């Protein structure tokens, strides 16, 4: 089975500054080197999914500039349908500055630009695309009201919706009611529920809180430890694969994209899909950059099978 996945999300050109350690407040430091690459949570997730065998279409927006063309070309180079990537004549293409230290940890500053200028009315033209999908993914680097409109259409057509609430923000009314699966990391989960993620018991309590909020299916990613899941069929924890990280940029996005390429619409194989997603992200963190670091299914299978 090949999943048809639509990603509604951000398109950013990433500038990564390679440094020894994070600067302290008021401190000026020198970067060892600088790299530019295609990125954005939406783009990362779409590329991760298509490289793992899914058929991908993208809904997003870029500026009328060179970076916009660069991002569209980057998606199309991976065989992603960009028919629903609009061009904004006012706002510039989204961008991000990433500080990457010698331990592989990062801090990211994002300029939303054209991503944040998207409007709910844009989803009218996208309905036929959504209707023919198996899975629709969105994050919080584009406006939530746009995601809400898209998810409502998805539910009308029996499409499974996956929400990645990153960066963490208060969720608008109604969005969780049309979300089938929410995938925060531990920090985002705690921000949304008020319950710190420290162990399995606290993750169970996060799941209970999300259920009270209207969402029964949950995955919490906890970095190098692994991922917790809770669905109608049960809950559990899938440990991460131990590797030495060079750059954690796009690791979480690789996880979600790879997961979406393998999970069944009814989430019945969630543990199997999570294991594959962990394998994919374990390769990503051993490489530099966002899109350039995301592995193919062939590379994942060669490493782990």
């Amino acid at each position: 089975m090949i999943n048809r996945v639509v990603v509604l999300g951000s398109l950013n050109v990433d500038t990564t500054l390679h440094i020894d350690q994070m600067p302290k407040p008021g401190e000026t430091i020198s970067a060892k080197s600088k790299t530019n690459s295609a990125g954005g949570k939406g783009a990362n997730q779409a590329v991760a999914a298509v490289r793992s065998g899914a058929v991908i279409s993208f809904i997003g927006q870029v500026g009328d500039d060179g970076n916009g063309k660069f991002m569209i070309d980057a998606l199309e180079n991976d065989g992603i349908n960009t028919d629903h990537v609009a061009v904004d004549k006012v706002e510039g293409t989204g961008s991000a500055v990433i500080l990457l230290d010698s331990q592989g940890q990062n801090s990211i500053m994002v300029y939303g630009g054209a991503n944040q200028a998207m409007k709910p009315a844009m989803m009218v033209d996208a309905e036929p695309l959504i209707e023919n999908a198996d899975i629709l993914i969105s994050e919080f680097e584009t406006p939530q009201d746009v995601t809400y409109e898209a998810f409502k259409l998805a539910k009308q057509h029996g499409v499974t919706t996956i929400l990645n609430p990153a960066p963490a923000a208060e969720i608008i009314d109604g969005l969780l009611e049309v979300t089938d699966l929410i995938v925060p990391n531990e920090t985002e989960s705690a921000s949304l529920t008020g319950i710190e993620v420290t162990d399995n018991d606290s993750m169970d309590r996060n799941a209970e809180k999300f259920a009270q909020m209207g969402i029964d299916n949950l995955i919490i990613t906890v970095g190098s430890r692994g991922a917790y899941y809770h669905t109608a069929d049960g809950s559990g924890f899938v440990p991460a694969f131990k590797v030495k990280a060079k750059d954690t940029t796009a690791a979480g996005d690789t996880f979600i994209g790879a997961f979406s390429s393998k999970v069944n619409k009814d989430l019945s194989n969630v543990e199997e899909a999570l294991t594959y997603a962990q394998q994919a992200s374990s390769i990503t963190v051993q490489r530099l950059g966002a899109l350039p670091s995301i592995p193919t299914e062939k590379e994942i299978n060669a490493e782990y099978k």
Side-chain angles (χ1 to χ4, degrees):
M1 181 192 72
I2 297 176
N3 279 351
R4 294 164 299 175
V5 179
V6 173
V7 177
L8 163 59
S10 55
L11 297 165
N12 293 332
V13 174
D14 292 343
T15 298
T16 302
L17 299 175
H18 301 262
I19 58 179
D20 287 322
Q21 59 189 27
M22 294 296 169
K24 299 179 180 65
E27 181 183 16
T28 299
I29 62 172
S30 296
K32 295 185 292 184
S33 61
K34 181 181 81 167
T35 54
N36 292 302
S37 64
K41 297 190 71 63
N44 296 340
Q45 292 172 12
V47 168
V50 78
R51 289 182 186 174
S52 281
V55 174
I56 305 297
S57 298
F58 201 94
I59 303 172
Q61 185 164 258
V62 295
D64 188 13
D65 50 36
N67 280 346
K69 185 179 186 306
F70 174 73
M71 288 305 307
I72 291 173
D73 288 347
L75 295 181
E76 292 179 345
N77 285 342
D78 265 289
I80 295 168
N81 179 344
T82 62
D83 290 349
H84 290 272
V85 176
V87 177
D88 189 286
K89 300 294 184 180
V90 178
E91 297 291 341
T93 300
S95 62
V97 176
I98 302 167
L99 300 181
L100 176 65
D101 72 15
S102 57
Q103 302 303 308
Q105 295 303 308
N106 61 39
S107 292
I108 304 174
M109 294 153 285
V110 177
Y111 161 68
N115 297 309
Q116 287 296 326
M118 292 183 71
K119 304 296 182 186
M122 297 170 66
M123 296 307 101
V124 174
D125 290 340
E127 182 171 4
L129 186 71
I130 294 169
E131 179 181 359
N132 289 312
D134 296 308
I135 293 169
L136 172 61
I137 305 172
S138 192
E139 327 80 29
F140 282 176
E141 286 187 345
T142 49
Q144 288 189 45
D145 58 353
V146 178
T147 297
Y148 182 38
E149 203 63 34
F151 277 23
K152 284 192 292 184
L153 292 172
K155 297 322 300 169
Q156 291 173 20
H157 298 293
V159 177
T160 298
T161 52
I162 299 177
L163 180 65
N164 174 214
E170 185 176 347
I171 299 176
I172 64 172
D173 291 343
L175 181 53
L176 288 182
E177 295 172 12
V178 288
T179 298
D180 292 310
L181 171 66
I182 190 166
V183 189
N185 64 23
E186 69 230 82
T187 304
E188 292 152 359
S189 188
S191 174
L192 293 169
T193 65
I195 302 168
E196 187 179 358
V197 175
T198 55
D199 54 18
N200 277 10
D201 178 65
S202 64
M203 287 185 271
D204 285 337
R205 287 188 285 118
N206 268 265
E208 291 170 4
K209 182 66 174 179
F210 275 114
Q212 293 170 14
M213 295 163 65
I215 179 78
D216 293 321
N217 299 310
L218 166 70
I219 293 170
I220 304 174
T221 58
V222 283
S224 60
R225 289 165 55 197
Y228 166 90
Y229 68 90
H230 178 91
T231 69
D233 296 327
S235 61
F237 193 87
V238 177
F241 294 83
K242 300 302 180 186
V243 297
K244 181 172 175 55
K246 288 183 179 178
D247 182 1
T248 55
T249 305
D253 298 330
T254 298
F255 177 94
I256 291 172
F259 174 83
S260 74
S261 74
K262 301 303 178 188
V263 72
N264 295 336
K265 280 185 65 175
D266 62 0
L267 307 179
S268 57
N269 66 335
V270 65
E271 193 163 342
E272 176 187 340
L274 281 175
T275 299
Y276 179 85
Q278 295 282 20
Q279 292 169 342
S281 58
S282 75
I283 295 174
T284 292
V285 300
Q286 296 178 73
R287 301 170 173 178
L288 295 176
L291 261 60
S293 71
I294 298 171
T296 63
E297 184 172 24
K298 183 177 180 181
E299 290 173 321
I300 297 163
N301 290 339
E303 183 74 20
Y304 287 104
K305 294 181 181 179

